[in-house]
Amino acid sequence: MATSINGLIAGLDDLSLSTKRTNATEDNQTKAGGDLGKDQFLQLLVTQMKNQDPLEPEKDSDFIAQLAQFSSLEQMQNLNETVQNSQAFGLVGKSVVINTTSTNGDVNEVKGVVDYITMSNGEAKMSVNGNLYPISDLAEVKDSYYAIQEFLPTVEKADCTYDKTNKSPITINLDMGQASYSASNVAVKLNGNFVDKSYLTYEKGKLSIWPGAMDSLGIGEYKVEFQFDDPYSTIVGDKVTLKVINSGVTNQDKE
């Protein structure tokens, strides 16, 4: 039976050395104060075998029991990794908070929307704000409409005036949204009718409505409605008021 145990020790020793070579550039998958990984479990078992009392060696049954525990540990870790990676794909499109640790130990908080999930060396990583982060850095997931409102298109509140005598475009500040919640187009409604896109220009967060879109409006006040083509089809109709007047005084008269 001694030959069997020696052979087992040699086999485990070789496996341990192989594991060390494979993970030469890693930290054995365990950080200070972290959980005991399967590599550490195996190393402890090998150390126990090497340092046992030759006069009172451990029983074969004890080693077999520990190997069974090791096998169970490995299966549980593999299952946990599979479940974790599967859940990671459900994060696409969700708002998340990520805590990253710099080389000097400072913790930085990153907020954004998960654009996609990619697999690297068996680990799922999230793409947020153009950067990749491991799932282990995930601190919070926000899945409600209210949690993602900060990423949706917005319109700045404004009271605009259009003078039929002195025709000038009106300009409104608006944000087309961020990441996967952003819009690529916006439609404008005046007095219940859509404004022809030829009368709209957008540049650097400013939307201009040109006079041709307002010439047919009578004197009075109107609500301006904005309809975005973001994933939530955001509609904003309570931020901008347009007052149409006819002063009868030209710019030349003012001068």
Side-chain angles (χ1 to χ4, degrees):
M1 188 63 66
T3 302
S4 177
I5 293 178
N6 291 335
L8 178 61
I9 293 175
L12 290 174
D13 199 13
D14 291 341
L15 179 58
S16 177
L17 290 174
S18 176
T19 302
K20 291 178 182 177
R21 287 193 297 269
T22 302
N23 298 321
T25 59
E26 301 178 0
D27 59 355
N28 289 329
Q29 302 177 356
T30 300
K31 298 179 181 178
D35 297 331
L36 181 66
K38 58 187 179 182
D39 292 339
Q40 290 71 36
F41 186 97
L42 183 58
Q43 290 171 11
L44 286 174
L45 179 59
V46 171
T47 302
Q48 179 185 356
M49 291 180 174
K50 286 182 175 180
N51 294 280
Q52 63 180 324
D53 187 349
L55 300 179
E56 294 183 4
E58 297 287 341
K59 297 180 180 179
D60 289 0
S61 58
D62 293 335
F63 289 126
I64 293 174
Q66 292 185 59
L67 286 173
Q69 291 177 349
F70 169 76
S71 179
S72 298
L73 172 65
E74 185 176 32
Q75 291 179 10
M76 286 189 293
Q77 288 186 330
N78 292 339
L79 178 61
N80 180 64
E81 182 179 338
T82 300
V83 172
Q84 188 181 52
N85 291 339
S86 298
Q87 292 176 338
F89 289 97
L91 295 173
V92 176
K94 294 184 179 180
S95 174
V96 297
V97 177
I98 299 170
N99 288 335
T100 62
T101 305
S102 63
T103 53
N104 57 6
D106 295 334
V107 177
N108 301 313
E109 186 178 88
V110 177
K111 294 182 179 179
V113 177
V114 179
D115 297 318
Y116 63 87
I117 298 293
T118 184
M119 300 297 296
S120 178
N121 296 325
E123 181 184 18
K125 292 188 176 182
M126 307 169 288
S127 173
V128 179
N129 300 334
N131 298 314
L132 290 177
Y133 301 93
I135 295 297
S136 57
D137 288 347
L138 182 65
E140 186 178 352
V141 180
K142 300 178 180 180
D143 194 22
S144 68
Y145 173 78
Y146 298 100
I148 63 172
Q149 278 187 320
E150 61 182 300
F151 302 106
L152 296 176
T154 57
V155 179
E156 185 177 297
K157 186 175 179 61
D159 295 318
C160 304
T161 300
Y162 176 68
D163 189 346
K164 284 178 171 286
T165 302
N166 300 290
K167 300 180 179 182
S168 299
I170 64 171
T171 302
I172 300 121
N173 295 324
L174 59 82
D175 186 344
M176 299 295 282
Q178 302 176 39
S180 58
Y181 295 107
S182 64
S184 56
N185 294 288
V186 59
V188 179
K189 290 183 75 172
L190 275 173
N191 198 27
N193 298 314
F194 284 105
V195 175
D196 191 289
K197 63 181 181 180
S198 62
Y199 296 122
L200 302 174
T201 57
Y202 177 77
E203 184 177 4
K204 297 181 179 179
K206 296 184 180 296
L207 176 72
S208 297
I209 305 177
W210 292 84
M214 298 168 282
D215 283 342
S216 61
L217 297 176
I219 306 302
E221 290 190 0
Y222 302 88
K223 288 289 186 182
V224 185
E225 182 177 286
F226 303 86
Q227 297 185 8
F228 298 88
D229 64 348
D230 61 285
Y232 282 83
S233 300
T234 300
I235 298 177
V236 179
D238 59 349
K239 294 294 185 180
V240 179
T241 300
L242 174 64
K243 184 177 182 179
V244 179
I245 63 173
N246 192 345
S247 66
V249 179
T250 65
N251 290 330
Q252 185 175 2
D253 293 335
K254 291 180 180 179
E255 294 175 358

